[in-house]
Amino acid sequence: MVIEEYLDLDIEDQLKFLNKQRATKLMKVIAEELGAKAYVIEKPIKSAGYKYDHDKKKYVLQEVNQSQQENDVMQYFEQHFTTLKSLVQQVEDIGYSNTMIIDGVILKNRVYKSKGLKVQEDVYTRFVELYKQQYQQYKLQDIISQALLEFCQRYEKNEMFDSEH
């Protein structure tokens, strides 16, 4: 058998083949015989939830212990409690309504049109200060596009401005 034939088998047949081979051979030898790396051979099996049991010398379905998962989650929260608390505090401080979300329409459509716009000086100053303080991770042109898109969505009912398009 070659690797292509092995990969064309369904999971059950791959398990039967590997379990039979692993009873007498190391994975390294099986991999060499198939002409592939061991991880290529084991990947579909592991993705299906199986692991190799060295005592039984075969692949067995991995049992997921619900309480172990819950313990892992609690342990993660305990390890990262300070960081998580800090993030929650940051969100509460700036408020959800102040969180910038750039619409997918803007992120997908990267065709820009250059236009000179006249803006009231005090509005522009506030806009630039806010941008520098909180949103420099975005391109200024994307924030302006987002503001114009939100204006269109608010005041005009038109599919062109629907965020799902």
Side-chain angles (χ1 to χ4, degrees):
M1 182 180 291
V2 292
I3 188 63
E4 290 82 13
E5 293 172 331
Y6 169 79
L7 293 174
D8 285 339
L9 297 173
D10 60 27
I11 294 295
E12 290 82 19
D13 291 334
Q14 288 179 358
L15 279 169
K16 287 176 189 174
F17 173 79
L18 277 182
N19 283 336
K20 183 177 178 182
Q21 295 292 312
R22 288 296 303 259
T24 58
K25 299 177 188 174
L26 295 173
M27 178 53 85
K28 182 178 179 180
V29 174
I30 299 167
E32 288 173 3
E33 290 175 355
L34 289 175
K37 301 281 184 190
Y39 71 89
V40 173
I41 297 167
E42 290 184 306
K43 185 177 180 180
I45 301 296
K46 288 183 177 181
S47 295
Y50 290 87
K51 68 176 185 168
Y52 187 72
D53 186 322
H54 292 281
D55 295 330
K56 296 179 181 177
K57 294 192 178 202
K58 69 178 192 174
Y59 288 90
V60 295
L61 190 58
Q62 202 171 357
E63 293 183 24
V64 179
N65 186 341
Q66 184 68 23
S67 64
Q68 181 59 42
Q69 283 183 334
E70 291 170 1
N71 288 340
D72 291 346
V73 169
M74 289 306 297
Q75 185 178 8
Y76 179 85
F77 280 124
E78 288 170 3
Q79 289 173 348
H80 300 286
F81 179 75
T82 305
T83 304
L84 293 169
K85 186 176 178 181
S86 173
L87 288 171
V88 168
Q89 186 62 48
Q90 288 176 16
V91 169
E92 287 175 352
D93 288 347
I94 64 171
Y96 178 75
S97 63
N98 290 345
T99 302
M100 172 66 69
I101 299 173
I102 303 293
D103 195 286
V105 171
I106 293 168
L107 297 175
K108 289 177 190 172
N109 182 10
R110 290 294 188 177
V111 178
Y112 295 97
K113 185 152 190 122
S114 183
K115 290 287 179 184
L117 297 173
K118 289 187 178 184
V119 181
Q120 292 180 358
E121 185 176 356
D122 59 334
V123 173
Y124 183 74
T125 302
R126 285 178 59 194
F127 177 77
V128 171
E129 286 176 11
L130 179 60
Y131 169 74
K132 287 179 180 177
Q133 290 173 4
Q134 294 182 4
Y135 302 108
Q136 283 189 327
Q137 70 270 26
Y138 300 108
K139 292 181 178 180
L140 190 57
Q141 62 196 18
D142 289 340
I143 293 177
I144 292 170
S145 295
Q146 180 67 32
L148 293 172
L149 178 63
E150 288 177 10
F151 174 84
C152 292
Q153 289 172 333
R154 183 172 181 180
Y155 295 107
E156 180 180 67
K157 297 294 179 198
N158 186 334
E159 285 187 26
M160 178 179 164
F161 302 111
D162 187 4
S163 64
E164 294 181 12
H165 286 87

